[in-house]
Amino acid sequence: MFRALMQSSKPLAHSNMTTADDIIRAARGWIGTPFHHQGRVKGVGVDCIGLLVGIARELELTDDKGIFLADYDLPNYSPLPDGRGLKTAVSLHLLELPSIGEASRGDVYLFRFQQDPQHVGILSELADGAPGIIHCYSNTGKVVEHRLNDTWRKLIVAAYRFPNLQPDTT
């Protein structure tokens, strides 16, 4: 059911002209979507990986081979995903940045809650200029955007960028 609905969404932009601002705008469009493990439908249900898949689908993001990133989606994982598998999957399809400090708006953080990475979120910028994070967090029960505080910063293990993004003009 989720797969059929998710494929019907209309793209907001095309990958050859997508910017970090487009990523953030698309992510903010999911705010309030309820948490649903393996969900992929805006307004209905999504999890943290589903948020990335939904954004990739909306913006028609592709890898360097021209394959749509959303086509790599494999929503068969446990509620507590194998962190090594999550890191491997994210690393295969997004560009790992040399250091966490190089991340900028629209980039993806990989977070560790226990020993292994188990969560992803998108770096944003709040109205006051402070860094924020947009993610679907089971503890809040929905997609949220909030300040990237020291507690969250300590959980970051890696940073990634969607491939083929154009530089922002702002």
Side-chain angles (χ1 to χ4, degrees):
M1 176 179 170
F2 281 120
R3 188 169 286 278
L5 288 172
M6 120 179 121
Q7 291 176 350
S8 66
S9 63
K10 294 181 181 176
L12 298 175
H14 191 273
S15 62
N16 66 2
M17 59 183 177
T18 303
T19 66
D21 286 338
D22 295 323
I23 300 288
I24 293 169
R25 190 172 16 264
R28 285 181 174 148
W30 288 75
I31 290 175
T33 297
F35 174 82
H36 181 84
H37 175 61
Q38 296 184 8
R40 301 290 189 267
V41 183
K42 185 191 291 187
V44 175
V46 71
D47 60 14
C48 66
I49 290 294
L51 177 61
L52 297 185
V53 171
I55 291 166
R57 184 167 307 284
E58 283 182 30
L59 299 177
E60 297 184 333
L61 300 177
T62 61
D63 65 12
D64 289 333
K65 299 173 195 151
I67 298 171
F68 289 108
L69 292 176
D71 289 347
Y72 292 114
D73 184 23
L74 297 172
N76 292 326
Y77 48 86
S78 76
L80 291 175
D82 169 14
R84 288 170 291 173
L86 177 61
K87 184 169 179 21
T88 299
V90 172
S91 296
L92 282 173
H93 306 300
L94 301 181
L95 307 171
E96 187 165 3
L97 299 175
S99 74
I100 294 166
E102 292 185 37
S104 60
R105 294 174 305 104
D107 288 340
V108 176
Y109 280 138
L110 182 63
F111 296 94
R112 169 193 47 80
F113 287 144
Q114 295 173 8
Q115 289 184 329
D116 292 322
Q118 296 178 334
H119 188 64
V120 293
I122 297 172
L123 179 59
S124 66
E125 185 176 332
L126 302 176
D128 65 2
I133 188 80
I134 304 169
H135 59 131
C136 190
Y137 187 38
S138 62
N139 287 2
T140 62
K142 61 186 175 183
V143 177
V144 294
E145 180 177 22
H146 59 80
R147 189 171 302 277
L148 183 64
N149 61 26
D150 288 340
T151 301
W152 280 96
R153 286 181 196 276
K154 291 176 185 175
L155 300 175
I156 300 169
V157 296
Y160 298 86
R161 184 162 292 147
F162 286 100
N164 302 316
L165 289 184
Q166 297 301 309
D168 283 329
T169 57
T170 57

